[in-house]
Amino acid sequence: MKQQTYIWGHTKRYNDFPTYFRSLFSERVQKVSVDAGFTCPNRDGTKGRGGCTYCNNKTFKPTYCNLENSVSHQVQQGIRFFEKKYKSMRFLAYFQAYTSTWAPLGNLIPLYEEALQHPKIVGLVISTRPDAVNEALLDYLAELSQKVYVMVEFGLESHLDHSLKKINRGHTFADSVWALEQTSQRSINNCAHLILGLPGETRSDWLDQARVISQLPVKNLKLHQLQIHKETVLEKQYLQTPEQFQLFTADEYIELVVDYLELLNPKIIVERFISQAPPGMLIAPKWGLKNFEFVAKVEKRLKERDTWQGKKFSTRSKPD
């Protein structure tokens, strides 16, 4: 029996990032993380103190990302690590730690371009907040994207302002809409990062989020199950009032992801379903699943339910 080919051009039941990325580059491409010493507007007092309630950057920063090392040194260390496996790889410099646009443009340009000097770097991925970009920066990135691959990854986290306030984000969903529209208008690749499971939100909220996001100019999407990490405000809140948290089992989250995908605009490229933290930093939930194992379970469930991304997508749903 011949498999169905979906509107994204292949037989997978969702518009997956690896397949899309292989269509862009003739060689294998890997991100290498860079910590350029940024902070965040909700850490330095501009909008608040303490950062987001869930955030501990140690959970995703490789050991070679040491601020004592220059950007070029970190890039080289990251490349050296991955080259052991694949000699012909090319790389994207991933400015991942904290808010990687939170500096004057005159300070940012030398950092980004230092990373691009390495002959094996073919582009940049810049992790930031929707309220930490401006038109001058986006105009520069639009020009840069004519020469190399550029992705701006925005931490949106929720479409609900009361949730954003509760987790101390310091921005609104209107800021998120503006940032996505401005990058899209300039043909800059963007990525929306969202957390499913924030305290006070419901299953209805998360499915509504899929409908809202589907009406916005989102190129890539990263989903992230709520995790409780050590050394965070969320850890203290969880230990004090665990009943306020709805932490998913793996099976519950798989079912939610499939429901979410059904509502999601099929044009949106799905980059990730889960986040993984070092076991020593994670309090809950502990699933014991690697990313590829979780993806396989989602694909199996999509097949079992004979469903796919966008099966229930409607252009009639409009964001607030």
Side-chain angles (χ1 to χ4, degrees):
M1 183 177 175
K2 188 177 179 182
Q3 286 185 292
Q4 179 177 343
T5 298
Y6 298 92
I7 70 163
W8 42 85
H10 55 78
T11 59
K12 280 201 173 185
R13 289 174 179 261
Y14 71 99
N15 191 356
D16 73 303
F17 180 71
T19 303
Y20 164 75
F21 221 49
R22 283 194 295 271
S23 73
L24 285 185
F25 297 97
S26 57
E27 302 154 296
R28 189 183 181 95
V29 175
Q30 173 69 45
K31 294 176 188 174
V32 289
S33 293
V34 175
D35 184 346
F38 297 105
T39 182
C40 295
N42 62 345
R43 285 181 178 270
D44 67 7
T46 305
K47 291 199 168 183
R49 295 284 183 187
C52 303
T53 61
Y54 57 83
C55 181
N56 183 340
N57 263 257
K58 295 176 188 175
T59 60
F60 56 78
K61 192 169 78 167
T63 53
Y64 65 78
C65 288
N66 188 321
L67 286 177
E68 295 177 2
N69 298 330
S70 66
V71 167
S72 54
H73 182 80
Q74 290 180 49
V75 165
Q76 182 57 51
Q77 289 291 99
I79 289 174
R80 192 172 295 153
F81 174 81
F82 287 107
E83 272 186 331
K84 296 173 187 174
K85 207 168 188 182
Y86 303 100
K87 290 292 182 185
S88 64
M89 289 181 79
R90 290 295 179 265
F91 300 89
L92 301 173
Y94 187 13
F95 286 82
Q96 185 180 19
Y98 298 105
T99 302
S100 295
T101 58
W102 192 236
L105 183 58
N107 295 357
L108 294 172
I109 291 174
L111 293 170
Y112 299 155
E113 298 195 352
E114 180 181 348
L116 289 168
Q117 286 174 5
H118 194 287
K120 291 195 173 183
I121 293 290
V122 295
L124 304 176
V125 179
I126 301 167
S127 178
T128 187
R129 298 159 49 96
D131 59 338
V133 295
N134 55 49
E135 295 200 21
L137 169 62
L138 294 176
D139 287 345
Y140 161 74
L141 293 177
E143 185 178 343
L144 187 63
S145 68
Q146 301 300 310
K147 307 169 191 172
V148 296
Y149 179 85
V150 175
M151 164 70 74
V152 181
E153 184 178 295
F154 292 111
L156 312 189
E157 315 315 354
S158 178
H159 68 304
L160 299 174
D161 283 343
H162 65 81
S163 291
L164 295 173
K165 186 175 182 179
K166 185 180 287 188
I167 60 175
N168 197 38
R169 281 298 291 176
H171 67 79
T172 65
F173 187 61
D175 295 323
S176 300
V177 173
W178 180 87
L180 292 168
E181 289 177 344
Q182 291 295 313
T183 45
S184 178
Q185 287 169 16
R186 291 170 172 80
S187 300
I188 302 168
N189 296 300
N190 66 39
C191 179
H193 182 286
L194 289 155
I195 299 174
L196 300 181
L198 289 173
E201 294 188 353
T202 65
R203 184 180 191 83
S204 176
D205 290 329
W206 302 319
L207 297 182
D208 189 50
Q209 179 189 103
R211 298 182 185 97
V212 170
I213 289 298
S214 290
Q215 306 303 323
L216 297 174
V218 174
K219 180 74 176 284
N220 286 17
L221 176 67
K222 279 186 174 182
L223 295 177
H224 176 338
Q225 82 283 23
L226 181 68
Q227 293 183 309
I228 313 296
H229 297 149
K230 292 181 179 178
E231 301 174 28
T232 62
V233 172
L234 211 62
E235 175 192 12
K236 295 175 184 175
Q237 294 173 345
Y238 177 67
L239 294 176
Q240 289 169 356
T241 56
E243 68 277 4
Q244 306 229 353
F245 291 79
Q246 182 182 338
L247 297 180
F248 305 109
T249 65
D251 287 342
E252 287 170 343
Y253 188 65
I254 288 165
E255 212 64 26
L256 175 61
V257 164
V258 172
D259 290 342
Y260 195 106
L261 284 173
E262 285 185 324
L263 296 166
L264 191 66
N265 189 329
K267 292 181 181 179
I268 295 176
I269 300 157
V270 181
E271 190 166 343
R272 192 181 75 186
F273 296 124
I274 62 169
S275 178
Q276 290 178 263
M281 296 299 299
L282 180 63
I283 295 174
K286 295 183 178 181
W287 294 343
L289 288 172
K290 300 288 188 184
N291 181 60
F292 73 92
E293 294 171 322
F294 188 87
V295 169
K297 287 178 178 291
V298 169
E299 291 177 340
K300 180 173 180 284
R301 193 68 185 119
L302 286 166
K303 187 174 181 181
E304 288 171 348
R305 286 175 48 175
D306 189 25
T307 192
W308 55 88
Q309 179 181 337
K311 184 178 182 180
K312 298 180 180 178
F313 166 68
S314 170
T315 57
R316 292 191 298 273
S317 301
K318 296 295 181 184
D320 295 335

